[in-house]
Amino acid sequence: MDKQNYIDQLFAQAKQDPVMQSFEQTKDRFKASVNNPAVNNSKTKQVFTKNRIIMLTTVSTISISLFLLLNNGKTSQSDRMTNVTNEKEVISEHKSTEPKAIHSEISKQGNISPAKVQVPFLASIQELVTELPFISENKAVEDGVGVGTQENWNSKPPKTMDDIPYQFPKLTEEEINITNKKKKSMLKALAKHDKNAYIYIPSGTFDYNGTQVSVQAFYIGIGEVTNFEYRTFLFDLLIQGRKDEFLRAKPDQSKWNTYPMYHLKHFQDNYFSDKRYNDYCVVNISREGAELYCKWLSEEVRKYVGTEKEAQYNDVRLPLRVEWIKAASNEGKQLPYPWNGPYTRNSDGFYQGNFVQGKTDSSFVFDTTEVNSVTAPSKSFWPNALGLYNMSGNAAEMVYEGSNRTEPGTAGGSWRNWPDEVKIYAPDNFKGIIDPKPTIGFRVVSTFLTVTER
């Protein structure tokens, strides 16, 4: 039998083959997707018909048959069923890793949900992408922020889940109240330079790794910026309609997967949103995000104190390395660690910082059923002589290498670094990095204005 006749027979057989799933079996799943409030739009909703389902099934059957023909009929019927099963498993695995819908489990303690992408069900993004309703409620689309317009969506349909337009969270009244309350407390602490939030570092000359360096007086955050503080910043951007800045500043929680041996799925899903981590240092934010946070805090504190006093407040920013070292070392008096001396444990045998404590990567596994974390609360362990927490370990803190404030670097090392790597003068393992990482966070400083300047 020649190939043409064989192809004709395959087409005839495909028309008669029963479908593996009927329309009745699948319609509820597709209807649930189409009726999803996050994507429901009467003008753009598209309904899947029986004929379309049958067509997709028929095309799939024909494709498999042609594959068999091109391989000289070497694949058996059982192999064909295995291929179909494997394809289902891939689709199922893809579906299970889709971002979850936005949720709103709020508590008085500030359990504010993070921004998450919400997408409808896709049986196969390659086959059904043209059936995906356009997300008209996505304000990013309507405002033309980064994802284009309805016409662009139709002419260039998404090929992967990453191409689905971002959907901003819609804050509830309670979320807005929590955000405003936390924002007010943050601004009040900054305006008064509250000693529970900021430490004053006087001006003067100190030994900077063998060189005498003069540094102007400044205030520095007592701990690293927390998840709750950073969430407040992001949600306040949404309240003000500053969506472009929100997109640039939001954390990338997928970066927890950078270190798969640590089994960090728990932290990817919960670290930035669960109230148990409110006081933990924020990580997985870009340097641009940290700088936008500083800009926001500078602007808002001036609004808070009013026009008559706004000139008394300098910009909030990331520290210079020389400023960070002066604060960490108590003006050069405590080395090589912020707690002084060469030992990582105190006299009671407790570790004095959050870093790798004698375990290899292969055994460094965490119990994710509890609050235990790779990071620690911003104010944890023991402060140095000036009252600053976690200057070594926990999160490597963003700094500027030079006075021009352009060259990125970090100081202090992180929860994933060894004792020698969290020393005050240790080489910077993250020099030049500006992208989000689960090991990098930041704390803020503000140059002190003298009385005459005020």
Side-chain angles (χ1 to χ4, degrees), residues 233-251:
F233 152 62
L234 287 179
F235 283 7
D236 190 61
L237 290 181
L238 287 182
I239 292 170
Q240 296 186 42
R242 296 159 66 176
K243 293 177 180 177
D244 179 64
E245 292 171 89
F246 176 93
L247 288 174
R248 290 154 56 196
K250 65 183 179 68

Side-chain angles (χ1 to χ4, degrees), residues 245-263:
E245 292 171 89
F246 176 93
L247 288 174
R248 290 154 56 196
K250 65 183 179 68
D252 184 356
Q253 298 299 10
S254 68
K255 296 300 182 181
W256 283 113
N257 295 324
T258 303
Y259 309 114
M261 76 287 289
Y262 291 105
H263 310 293

Side-chain angles (χ1 to χ4, degrees), residues 239-295:
I239 292 170
Q240 296 186 42
R242 296 159 66 176
K243 293 177 180 177
D244 179 64
E245 292 171 89
F246 176 93
L247 288 174
R248 290 154 56 196
K250 65 183 179 68
D252 184 356
Q253 298 299 10
S254 68
K255 296 300 182 181
W256 283 113
N257 295 324
T258 303
Y259 309 114
M261 76 287 289
Y262 291 105
H263 310 293
L264 300 179
K265 180 69 166 61
H266 167 82
F267 301 108
Q268 178 179 333
D269 294 341
N270 298 283
Y271 186 78
F272 190 63
S273 58
D274 194 310
K275 66 182 180 182
R276 295 178 297 174
Y277 298 104
N278 272 353
D279 297 327
Y280 284 62
C281 57
V282 68
V283 293
N284 289 317
I285 46 99
S286 66
R287 179 169 286 257
E288 181 183 23
E291 290 173 338
L292 285 171
Y293 175 92
C294 293
K295 177 184 176 183

Side-chain angles (χ1 to χ4, degrees), residues 108 176-186 232:
K108 293 181 180 179
I176 293 173
N177 289 337
I178 290 172
T179 298
N180 289 336
K181 182 178 179 180
K182 180 62 175 178
K183 174 183 173 182
K184 184 177 180 180
S185 69
M186 292 167 61
T232 300

Side-chain angles (χ1 to χ4, degrees), residues 67-203:
F67 175 81
L68 297 177
L69 175 62
L70 294 175
N71 284 275
N72 296 321
K74 294 181 180 180
T75 307
S76 65
Q77 177 67 20
S78 61
D79 292 332
R80 288 171 58 188
M81 295 307 296
T82 301
N83 289 336
V84 173
T85 301
N86 290 339
E87 182 180 357
K88 285 185 175 181
E89 290 173 353
V90 171
I91 293 172
S92 175
E93 180 181 358
H94 181 75
K95 178 185 175 185
S96 66
T97 57
E98 289 178 0
K100 297 178 181 178
I102 300 170
H103 60 284
S104 299
E105 296 179 0
I106 311 300
S107 74
K108 293 181 180 179
Q109 289 73 28
N111 184 17
I112 304 177
S113 306
K116 293 188 178 181
V117 180
Q118 186 172 19
V119 296
F121 167 78
L122 291 178
S124 168
I125 196 156
Q126 289 77 19
E127 292 179 314
L128 303 180
V129 70
T130 56
E131 307 296 346
L132 182 64
F134 182 68
I135 305 178
S136 66
E137 292 185 5
N138 187 333
K139 299 302 182 183
V141 175
E142 294 179 1
D143 295 345
V145 179
V147 293
T149 63
Q150 169 77 61
E151 290 73 24
N152 290 341
W153 176 273
N154 291 336
S155 62
K156 296 180 180 180
K159 296 180 180 179
T160 68
M161 285 297 176
D162 292 335
D163 296 329
I164 303 296
Y166 182 80
Q167 181 173 340
F168 290 98
K170 294 182 178 180
L171 303 183
T172 66
E173 183 177 350
E174 187 170 5
E175 286 174 319
I176 293 173
N177 289 337
I178 290 172
T179 298
N180 289 336
K181 182 178 179 180
K182 180 62 175 178
K183 174 183 173 182
K184 184 177 180 180
S185 69
M186 292 167 61
L187 297 178
K188 182 179 180 181
L190 177 58
K192 293 185 175 182
H193 293 120
D194 189 331
K195 292 183 179 179
N196 292 318
Y198 297 92
I199 298 296
Y200 173 72
I201 309 297
S203 61

